[in-house]
């Protein structure tokens, strides 16, 4: 979408205010007795107050009306969303699924929330440990409705059709070959422009981080400067018939009504934000001598567990790259492991699209 602006960086201390209200961001303190323009100050925490400074996540939001000014939540149908993994018997076989059909808009209007389908997962949101993998298929925008996930972070991967995501922090346009992360507790709405489909990786109890680089050094893989955070944008919008907030809490859906848009944040600052990333910016590390490096070198984001070196989930891509190796079988090796939680279902497939003959025993491939 032309005109959308972003701030660069991963986990930075950002500050932004809508240009229509200059000076709306308080200076020198977070919660003045009277905020500029009569705004209400709220803090959104992504960690415990007492977390170490390096992992402490929070943002201050300055809004036209308080976010708690809504009617009580009531249960609603969960549709195809679930985290009841015991509903089906375990199956040790290799499995795959066909692409989910996208409903025709001429037959049925389906927005982002109605089009959520759970594919698989492990753990649960109540114990704050585990993952869920969902698909979304939709053909219409969310009108006077937003979604809030109290269970964990959502990593959204559009596969077909771009999506315009409006958040309390601003707007993001996310296209195929881009990803975005909406962190726990953030309200957002999704606009679509055609029949649309994509993946969602949900993690419970952890936030996504950049992987440690180790011997790679200071640069490589997904560089922090390539992540983009939206700038402040607000709407002072009254909805007489009721604005619907859908909240996912402990694996169930609840809804409530209020008479104004929740996207009324005029200014904000902090390090707990939504963000997006273009996968074309990923700096690939690869083997240039023999054998294949482990797929962990293609990790974009990781959600760490409490066990050092073990992730709850890794988001891994296999982007186009030159694969140059001597005396090595071209396709990657078969890999069997006993880790219970692994998000290989989120990995992009790798296709050999170009080959250059460099000699009898040395070939170069671009995958």
């Amino acid at each position: 979408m032309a005109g959308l602006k972003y701030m660069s960086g991963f986990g930075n201390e950002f500050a932004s205010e809508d240009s229509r209200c200059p000076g709306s961001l308080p200076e020198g303190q977070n919660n003045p007795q009277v905020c500029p323009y009569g705004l209400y100050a709220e803090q959104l925490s992504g960690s415990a107050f007492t977390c170490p400074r390096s992992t402490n996540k929070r943002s201050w939001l300055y809004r036209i009306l308080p976010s708690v000014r809504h009617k009580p939540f009531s249960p609603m149908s969960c549709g195809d969303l679930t985290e009841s993994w015991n509903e089906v018997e375990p199956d040790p076989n290799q499995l795959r699924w066909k692409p989910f059909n996208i409903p025709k808009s001429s037959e049925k209007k389906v927005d982002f929330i109605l089009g959520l389908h759970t594919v698989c997962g492990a753990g649960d949101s109540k114990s704050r440990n585990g993952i869920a993998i969902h698909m979304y298929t939709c053909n219409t925008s969310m009108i006077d409705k937003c979604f809030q996930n109290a269970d964990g972070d959502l990593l959204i991967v559009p596969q077909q059709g771009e999506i315009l995501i409006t958040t309390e922090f601003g707007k993001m346009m996310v296209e195929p070959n881009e990803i975005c992360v909406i962190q726990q507790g953030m309200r957002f709405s999704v606009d679509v422009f055609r029949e649309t489909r994509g993946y969602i990786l949900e993690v419970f109890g952890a936030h996504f981080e950049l992987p440690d680089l180790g011997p790679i050094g200071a640069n490589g893989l997904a560089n922090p400067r390539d992540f983009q955070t939206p700038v402040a944008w607000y709407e002072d919008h009254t909805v007489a018939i009721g604005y619907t907030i859908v909240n996912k809490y402990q694996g169930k859906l609840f809804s409530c009504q209020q008479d104004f848009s929740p996207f009324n944040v005029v200014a904000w600052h902090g390090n707990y934000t939504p963000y997006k990333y273009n996968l074309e910016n990923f700096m690939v590390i690869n083997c240039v001598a023999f054998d294949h490096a482990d797929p962990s070198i293609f990790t974009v984001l990781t959600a760490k567990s409490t066990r050092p070196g073990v992730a709850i989930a890794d988001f891994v891509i296999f982007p186009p790259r030159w694969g140059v190796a001597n005396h090595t079988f071209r396709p990657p090796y078969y890999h069997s492991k006993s880790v219970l939680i692994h998000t290989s279902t989120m990995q992009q497939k790798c296709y050999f699209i170009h080959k250059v003959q460099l000699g009898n025993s040395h070939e170069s491939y671009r995958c």
Side-chain angles (χ1 to χ4, degrees):
M1 183 177 182
L4 290 184
K5 297 181 180 180
Y6 303 93
M7 295 176 286
S8 172
F10 187 89
N12 294 15
E13 287 287 340
F14 296 104
S16 182
E17 63 182 22
D18 193 302
S19 59
R20 292 171 289 177
C21 295
S24 53
L25 194 63
E27 296 184 6
Q29 64 179 118
N30 295 321
N31 188 21
Q33 187 175 36
V34 178
C35 292
Y37 296 93
L39 301 173
Y40 292 84
E42 295 182 356
Q43 182 175 211
L44 177 62
S45 294
S47 64
F49 295 136
T50 53
C51 275
R53 185 179 289 265
S54 61
T55 58
N56 206 303
K57 296 182 178 294
R58 85 285 173 265
S59 285
W60 282 89
L61 287 70
Y62 302 92
R63 44 197 336 146
I64 297 171
L65 290 172
S67 61
V68 294
R69 213 190 80 169
H70 57 76
K71 296 179 180 179
F73 282 96
S74 58
M76 60 177 287
S77 171
C78 293
D80 293 327
L81 274 181
T82 185
E83 58 180 54
S84 300
W85 316 123
N86 294 329
E87 291 179 351
V88 294
E89 293 297 320
D91 189 343
N93 293 301
Q94 299 170 9
L95 302 174
R96 66 173 62 186
W97 60 89
K98 294 181 179 179
F100 280 59
N101 292 325
I102 307 174
K104 299 291 184 182
S105 57
S106 58
E107 299 174 357
K108 183 181 180 181
K109 299 291 186 182
V110 178
D111 64 21
F112 178 83
I113 297 175
L114 295 176
L116 291 172
H117 310 269
T118 302
V119 177
C120 57
D124 65 83
S125 58
K126 296 178 183 178
S127 64
R128 311 296 301 137
N129 183 49
I131 67 168
I133 296 173
H134 315 285
M135 295 285 298
Y136 68 87
T137 56
C138 51
N139 56 35
T140 191
S141 300
M142 295 167 61
I143 305 299
D144 293 332
K145 181 192 292 185
C146 73
F147 187 58
Q148 178 182 23
N149 186 18
D151 290 338
D153 290 7
L154 298 176
L155 190 157
I156 302 174
V157 188
Q159 181 268 324
Q160 176 179 319
E162 66 272 29
I163 55 177
L164 175 62
I165 301 181
T166 302
T167 75
E168 295 165 292
F169 296 79
K171 291 175 175 282
M172 298 186 294
M173 178 66 79
V174 188
E175 303 178 2
N177 213 42
E178 293 183 322
I179 62 172
C180 74
V181 173
I182 308 294
Q183 303 199 71
Q184 181 180 351
M186 298 177 180
R187 294 174 178 175
F188 68 99
S189 181
V190 176
D191 287 346
V192 300
F193 307 94
R194 58 185 62 84
E195 295 172 356
T196 305
R197 178 173 56 208
Y199 303 90
I200 300 176
L201 170 59
E202 181 181 15
V203 294
F204 312 129
H207 296 298
F208 287 103
E209 305 175 28
L210 293 174
D212 295 327
L213 295 180
I216 293 176
N219 306 289
L221 306 187
N223 290 311
R225 65 174 296 189
D226 293 324
F227 286 82
Q228 296 180 307
T229 294
V231 298
W233 176 90
Y234 77 92
E235 59 181 6
D236 190 2
H237 178 41
T238 301
V239 186
I241 61 174
Y243 194 103
T244 303
I245 298 176
V246 178
N247 186 16
K248 182 174 178 289
Y249 176 69
Q250 295 191 3
K252 304 295 184 181
L253 294 184
F254 301 83
S255 67
C256 73
Q257 297 287 314
Q258 61 186 44
D259 60 3
F260 61 93
S261 168
F263 306 121
N264 61 355
V265 177
V266 178
W268 61 267
H269 75 87
N271 63 354
Y272 190 54
T273 69
Y275 54 88
K276 74 170 205 169
Y277 176 74
N278 190 328
L279 298 176
E280 291 183 356
N281 293 325
F282 187 79
M283 177 183 163
V284 181
I285 305 295
N286 205 10
C287 169
V288 296
F290 60 87
D291 288 346
H292 293 278
D294 293 331
S296 53
I297 64 170
F298 303 116
T299 301
V300 180
L301 292 170
T302 183
K304 296 180 179 178
S305 72
T306 56
R307 182 181 172 188
V310 178
I312 296 175
D314 289 321
F315 178 72
V316 177
I317 65 171
F318 295 128
R321 65 200 181 278
W322 288 103
V324 184
N326 281 311
H327 194 59
T328 298
F329 186 56
R330 296 189 297 271
Y333 54 87
Y334 174 73
H335 184 208
S336 177
K337 62 189 299 185
S338 59
V339 175
L340 294 178
I341 302 175
H342 186 67
T343 61
S344 58
T345 48
M346 293 296 296
Q347 295 173 356
Q348 297 183 6
K349 290 183 179 179
C350 173
Y351 297 94
F352 292 104
I353 61 173
H354 188 63
K355 181 174 95 172
V356 179
Q357 184 70 37
L358 298 180
N360 293 331
S361 61
H362 195 159
E363 294 180 342
S364 176
Y365 290 85
R366 194 173 189 273
C367 330

